[in-house]
Amino acid sequence: MRDVLDSAPHVGARRGLLTVLLLAVLLTLAACGDRSSGGQPSEILSGYLPDDWKPVSGAKNVQGFQEINIDGDSDSEWLYFFHYDGQGENNGPIGGIIYDAQQDVNTQQPAAFFVPYRLLPDWREGKGQGYLGEQNVTWSEARIDPDLVERPADELVVSGLSAGDLVTRLSLFRWLDIGRGYGVAHFVGNAGLLFGPDGRAEDALIGQVTSYNRLNDRSRLCEKVLHTRQGTELRFAATQPGIVFCPLAAGAAEGVPDQPTYPEAVVVAWLLGQSRGDLALDDAGLRAVVNPAQVQRIVHVQYPGAATLANRGDFVSEMSVQTALETTAGPRTIQWNLVEQRPTAETRTSRWRIASAQEVP
């Protein structure tokens, strides 16, 4: 048989051409098939997924392969979310990938080939940030001009959800080029993320992201950073971190406790509340030392774990708290002297109050 084939090169050429044509037809059908999530492209792509990638489901718009278009051309791409690094029956974090149908100009055939582009996790330049979500994700498209809905979107917005549907991760993706794929701006806040300045308009770019990350602190203090988009680019400028109370609910902004318990919480609430005269024995005297309206951010809070027993008059114990502040008058370090008031029939428990304060050189 080998001699026959070798003596008939025209037969082998015809068979090779037939194979190329059949492959071109199959790939063309795959690229032009049904564009729903159950269409032919998604069925073909499913065969190329690694066995250890477990599909993400549960969110209203996350199910298998989903059609999107954010690379500026008229052809759709296919978005897929998956769990990776799982341990037995326990799912790992969530990653994402986009398959893009591209023409192979070398074959001179009109066949489209699906090229995979990792979103996160990835390890290319500028893509080592992390993963998309803990328990689930949601996604949407965003446009520089939300009114131009007939044009392909400019960004893919992926929100990562943790327990209680708390948004703790945000990843914004934008097409760069065939070689680099998608660039990303990635934000993490383990106590939550807020989008601003007034939420997010439908289809519009997210202009601000506020991240809250928990400190190892008994008063639920968080480090807050505000990220502001620069123009319409995928570039954000971040403020220096400041200390606030962590938000208490998904989508809620920070506030101050109605009745702070620990001494450091009393100090932070007084600084952030600006009208919490009930937290001080001499509010006017404190304001003579530091005006809360001049405080731009709380840089650091330091305090001992245990109080010192005083047992004099109405006071059970005492404690000192130090804060490093950035103010309109420059950096300042303030020491706060607090006392624990004995319970009364009205309070029914002891309360910490600020007795005095002084600047530390």
Side-chain angles (χ1 to χ4, degrees):
M1 180 66 71
R2 180 180 297 274
D3 293 340
V4 173
L5 290 177
D6 289 345
S7 64
H10 60 284
V11 175
R14 286 200 300 270
R15 287 181 177 175
L17 178 61
L18 178 59
T19 301
V20 171
L21 290 176
L22 286 174
L23 179 61
V25 170
L26 288 174
L27 290 173
T28 303
L29 288 174
C32 301
D34 182 5
R35 295 193 180 274
S36 67
S37 59
Q40 194 175 21
S42 62
E43 294 173 1
I44 294 177
L45 289 171
S46 296
Y48 291 93
L49 296 175
D51 292 338
D52 58 304
W53 287 7
K54 305 303 181 184
V56 176
S57 61
K60 62 181 180 180
N61 63 348
V62 176
Q63 186 67 47
F65 286 93
Q66 298 141 107
E67 184 181 15
I68 63 169
N69 188 357
I70 60 168
D71 65 355
D73 60 26
S74 58
D75 297 322
S76 295
E77 303 91 63
W78 296 90
L79 170 66
Y80 187 81
F81 295 111
F82 56 90
H83 291 278
Y84 69 98
D85 282 359
Q87 299 176 13
E89 297 299 320
N90 298 315
N91 288 328
I94 297 173
I97 193 167
I98 288 179
Y99 289 88
D100 184 27
Q102 296 178 7
Q103 301 296 324
D104 186 349
V105 297
N106 295 324
T107 64
Q108 301 301 313
Q109 298 291 338
F113 294 86
F114 288 107
V115 178
Y117 290 100
R118 289 179 179 268
L119 297 176
L120 289 178
D122 200 359
W123 37 87
R124 306 305 177 197
E125 183 178 356
K127 294 287 287 297
Q129 290 86 345
Y131 50 89
L132 299 179
E134 298 278 353
Q135 296 189 356
N136 221 319
V137 294
T138 61
W139 67 276
S140 61
E141 296 175 342
R143 292 172 168 81
I144 295 175
D145 187 345
D147 295 329
L148 299 179
V149 295
E150 300 301 323
R151 295 180 53 184
D154 297 294
E155 282 184 5
L156 170 65
V157 180
V158 182
S159 298
L161 307 179
S162 296
D165 288 337
L166 179 67
V167 178
T168 56
R169 291 178 178 267
L170 175 70
S171 303
L172 307 177
F173 296 97
R174 207 177 266 199
W175 176 253
L176 299 177
D177 51 50
I178 290 178
R180 294 178 295 169
Y182 297 88
V184 63
H186 184 69
F187 308 91
V188 179
N190 58 32
L193 297 173
L194 291 180
F195 309 145
D198 299 309
R200 180 198 170 196
E202 186 176 1
D203 292 331
L205 299 179
I206 293 176
Q208 288 183 346
V209 180
T210 305
S211 61
Y212 299 93
N213 283 288
R214 297 183 183 91
L215 301 175
N216 184 19
D217 186 272
R218 61 191 182 185
S219 293
R220 295 189 75 257
L221 298 179
C222 262
E223 196 174 69
K224 170 187 175 181
V225 177
L226 177 63
H227 309 263
T228 304
R229 187 187 291 268
Q230 305 300 289
T232 58
E233 299 180 12
L234 191 62
R235 186 167 59 88
F236 289 75
T239 62
Q240 292 295 316
I243 295 176
V244 299
F245 290 99
C246 300
L248 289 178
E254 78 270 12
V256 297
D258 297 331
Q259 191 59 258
T261 296
Y262 286 108
E264 69 278 1
V266 173
V267 171
V268 173
W270 189 88
L271 286 169
L272 298 177
Q274 298 189 15
S275 60
R276 297 299 302 271
D278 59 312
L279 301 179
L281 301 183
D282 180 11
D283 188 67
L286 291 185
R287 292 176 181 273
V289 177
V290 56
N291 185 350
Q294 295 179 340
V295 177
Q296 297 174 315
R297 66 185 178 105
I298 303 174
V299 179
H300 182 67
V301 179
Q302 183 175 341
Y303 54 90
T308 301
L309 289 176
N311 197 22
R312 65 177 189 275
D314 294 333
F315 306 142
V316 179
S317 56
E318 57 191 10
M319 181 182 291
S320 293
V321 175
Q322 279 196 2
T323 58
L325 308 175
E326 183 178 291
T327 74
T328 54
R332 302 183 65 189
T333 300
I334 305 296
Q335 177 173 307
W336 310 81
N337 308 304
L338 296 98
V339 292
E340 180 188 6
Q341 294 181 322
R342 296 184 187 279
T344 65
E346 181 179 341
T347 64
R348 302 181 182 181
T349 185
S350 62
R351 300 290 187 190
W352 284 93
R353 294 294 180 258
I354 306 171
S356 62
Q358 66 268 2
E359 186 159 7
V360 177

